[in-house]
Amino acid sequence: MSMRHCISALRVLRTQIPLKTAQNPQNNLLQRFYSSKPPVIGIVDYDVVKKLPSEPQKLLIDVREPDELKETGQIPASINIPLGVVSQELSASEQLFKSKYGRDKPKPDTEIIFHCKIGKRSLKAAEAAAALGFRNLKNYEGSWLDWAEREGLPK
């Protein structure tokens, strides 16, 4: 098959198959065909997170809703950016980010650690950050429940 035929086949295929990632991954043939390998999202534990107040070059983001933080508290050194606005906030200007969070906006290679209550929303946040081009992403899998248990705090 010539290159011209391949291109024509792809054009026809593109018009027949909608690009829907969340609803049906099998329909996402073209995106998978053209996309590169997704970045690896690392996993951190309590010991790593416990040291973060002395490591200001790293950023700990709590993706829970503000009401959840009022009920339980917050891990020291973390900033709160709810999951629903993570992409928007990480795309904001450097000035706006700093004025809202009191921290420099992370660079693409800044180590960013996400956490939530149990580690599922934080993984989604890390995936969203990866889609924006951030490369040094981690998930605190135990998240708040692990932190609270080890620190003797309410869950």
Side-chain angles (χ1 to χ4, degrees):
M1 187 179 242
S2 73
M3 182 63 122
R4 196 176 87 218
H5 288 118
C6 289
I7 292 171
S8 295
L10 281 173
R11 284 184 183 140
V12 169
L13 186 61
R14 183 175 57 204
T15 62
Q16 293 175 350
I17 299 175
L19 295 176
K20 296 180 182 176
T21 54
Q23 294 172 347
N24 190 349
Q26 282 79 19
N27 284 344
N28 195 16
L29 295 174
L30 290 176
Q31 186 170 346
R32 280 190 278 141
F33 181 76
Y34 287 109
S35 64
S36 61
K37 215 164 61 168
V40 174
I41 297 169
I43 297 170
V44 298
D45 60 12
Y46 169 83
D47 294 328
V48 171
V49 175
K50 183 77 174 169
K51 295 175 189 172
L52 290 176
S54 64
E55 298 177 319
Q57 74 280 11
K58 298 177 182 180
L59 182 60
L60 178 62
I61 299 177
D62 187 334
V63 299
R64 296 179 294 160
E65 293 298 320
D67 290 347
E68 292 177 85
L69 276 64
K70 288 177 188 171
E71 291 175 16
T72 62
Q74 197 169 342
I75 296 176
S78 69
I79 62 171
N80 179 231
I81 305 177
L83 177 59
V85 295
V86 162
S87 293
Q88 174 186 328
E89 296 300 306
L90 290 176
S91 299
S93 70
E94 291 185 29
Q95 280 183 321
L96 183 59
F97 191 92
K98 183 146 186 157
S99 70
K100 276 184 159 180
Y101 302 107
R103 298 279 312 260
D104 289 335
K105 179 181 171 184
K107 306 285 184 224
D109 61 340
T110 299
E111 184 172 333
I112 306 173
I113 302 170
F114 293 93
H115 84 90
C116 57
K117 184 174 182 179
I118 63 172
K120 292 190 182 213
R121 286 178 284 176
S122 53
L123 180 57
K124 289 183 185 298
E127 291 168 347
L132 294 171
F134 293 94
R135 298 182 294 269
N136 194 359
L137 305 168
K138 309 276 177 19
N139 183 27
Y140 178 17
E141 258 189 352
S143 283
W144 178 259
L145 290 182
D146 181 59
W147 179 268
E149 183 177 318
R150 292 170 182 263
E151 295 285 316
L153 300 169
K155 295 178 187 180

